[in-house]
Amino acid sequence: MRGAVSSGMLLALEQLGMRNSFDTVVGTSAGAIAGAFFVTGQGTSGSVLYYTVLNSERFVNRRRLLRDGAIMDLDYLIDDALDRHGFNWDDLLESDIPLWATVTPADEDNPKRLFQVGKTEAHARRVLAATACLPVIAGPSRFVDDKAYVDGGMLEGVPWVSALTFDATHVLVIRSRGFNKNQEVEPLNKLERATVPRLVKRIHNEYVSEVVKLSSLRFWNNTEALRVVLEGRAEPLGTNGRDVQIDAVIPPPETDLPDRLEVDTHVLMDALTAGAQSMVDYLNLEGFSVEQRVVVTHPRAPVGRVRTSALAPIVSSRRGSSR
């Protein structure tokens, strides 16, 4: 649910007519799902899901865990909500911008870390479910090509390193939260340490349990490496001598960030707005503002697509030469 922030950033890029500035999109978990809307030009209609569908007990229900169920119902999201709200899978398969999603294998002998989202509709659905399968919270591991996977963020919370494997020369990272101020690993609390590994081992397996134990440290290493690269204190590995420019869009510190199971409508709408405003501010576009509007919708009347070219001429005329 924290993906509402990055969804707002992509929404701004879409409405500013800048979707075609990108050759490839790499996403992790909610970022991959938001990426599916972005590469198909459906980011505006996709963002509505956060405060009309996903904030319901049908998607997030903590009581289900007491019955050995998943708190977060990915099947409802991928196989029901997206369809009912007009997501066009054919557009995803035919998109001129390839979408890749990171995954975490549930078997230590499986080296697979990335899937292209778009081989077939059924395959795309399985990949999007796998990349967002938070251990325990989203239920059992998900299968793609007969192999089990869980949330890609367990190994790579922010997939900027994976983006470099595509010989990228420019990488724009969009983050759903800022960097840790005290630059320390955020460990599991006492209750989580006592319960989470045991639950993960029971629902998944011992290997996934070990992966989860180290996920906070991996996330810290991933984001701290990004921080030092952005600050110019180090060059990214894996560039093979290429001159690579990496930049990041980060929500301001005062943003009231959703947690991963947030259902408060106001928090989610504010997160979308903050994400969109963060992108506008990053692009240094004077005179542009982000408005928060309530959209009344119905399953048979999905939000229409915006004319993404409408703002493009204004954006082109107002961008400074330094950007």
Side-chain angles (χ1 to χ4, degrees):
M1 300 301 280
R2 193 182 293 127
V5 178
S6 48
S7 290
M9 294 176 182
L10 293 177
L11 181 152
L13 285 173
E14 178 180 295
Q15 294 192 6
L16 291 168
M18 302 181 74
R19 169 186 169 275
N20 291 329
S21 299
F22 300 88
D23 301 307
T24 301
V25 173
V26 184
T28 292
S29 196
I33 295 173
F37 281 98
F38 179 70
V39 301
T40 58
Q42 302 175 70
T44 300
S45 57
S47 67
V48 174
L49 292 173
Y50 276 100
Y51 56 86
T52 60
V53 175
L54 303 187
N55 60 336
S56 68
E57 287 194 348
R58 183 66 182 82
F59 180 59
V60 176
N61 188 337
R62 289 174 170 84
R63 292 192 298 273
R64 283 196 293 256
L65 188 61
L66 301 176
R67 304 189 298 270
D68 286 335
I71 296 176
M72 194 168 62
D73 190 343
L74 285 177
D75 292 329
Y76 167 67
L77 170 61
I78 303 297
D79 297 328
D80 187 350
L82 295 191
D83 293 345
R84 287 193 298 108
H85 285 264
F87 182 76
N88 192 315
W89 292 95
D90 288 336
D91 285 355
L92 177 60
L93 302 184
E94 299 167 5
S95 174
D96 56 342
I97 305 175
L99 171 66
W100 294 79
T102 68
V103 291
T104 298
D107 180 354
E108 61 182 326
D109 295 326
N110 181 3
K112 190 75 172 180
R113 298 290 187 274
L114 273 172
F115 278 107
Q116 184 168 1
V117 185
K119 184 189 297 184
T120 65
E121 178 181 326
H123 191 266
R125 289 179 190 268
R126 288 194 292 270
V127 172
L128 291 179
T131 186
C133 183
L134 283 165
V136 179
I137 289 176
S141 306
R142 298 302 177 115
F143 283 81
V144 181
D145 298 338
D146 298 324
K147 299 287 187 180
Y149 298 92
V150 294
D151 191 289
M154 297 295 101
L155 291 182
E156 189 179 10
V158 185
W160 65 279
V161 176
S162 287
L164 296 176
T165 65
F166 296 100
D167 294 330
T169 56
H170 296 74
V171 177
L172 181 63
V173 181
I174 60 172
R175 294 208 55 193
S176 60
R177 53 175 162 166
F179 293 102
N180 194 338
K181 292 181 179 180
N182 58 19
Q183 299 187 27
E184 295 179 355
V185 179
E186 297 180 8
L188 298 176
N189 60 41
K190 188 174 181 180
L191 177 61
E192 290 171 334
R193 288 197 303 271
T195 60
V196 170
R198 177 176 55 82
L199 282 172
V200 174
K201 185 176 179 180
R202 178 165 62 86
I203 295 175
H204 300 274
N205 58 40
E206 187 171 354
Y207 172 69
V208 175
S209 179
E210 292 301 315
V211 169
V212 171
K213 286 180 185 178
L214 295 174
S215 60
S216 294
L217 178 60
R218 288 195 185 94
F219 182 80
W220 183 86
N221 286 334
N222 174 271
T223 55
E224 283 303 299
L226 175 62
R227 188 209 295 261
V228 298
V229 168
L230 293 174
E231 294 175 352
R233 294 188 283 128
E235 294 293 327
L237 299 175
T239 59
N240 298 322
R242 298 191 316 277
D243 182 16
V244 179
Q245 180 177 330
I246 300 178
D247 213 346
V249 184
I250 300 171
E254 64 272 15
T255 304
D256 185 11
L257 295 174
D259 63 34
R260 60 181 51 181
L261 295 176
E262 184 64 69
V263 293
D264 187 289
T265 300
H266 300 292
V267 173
L268 293 169
M269 292 182 74
D270 287 346
L272 281 162
T273 303
Q277 188 63 58
S278 298
M279 182 59 72
V280 171
D281 293 342
Y282 164 78
L283 294 170
N284 196 26
L285 296 174
E286 294 184 4
F288 286 77
S289 61
V290 177
E291 295 183 1
Q292 184 184 89
R293 298 185 179 186
V294 175
V295 178
V296 179
T297 185
H298 185 276
R300 293 197 300 272
V303 178
R305 298 189 189 184
V306 296
R307 293 175 55 195
T308 57
S309 61
L311 293 177
I314 305 173
V315 173
S316 298
S317 65
R318 294 197 180 187
R319 291 184 70 193
S321 58
S322 62
R323 307 295 290 186

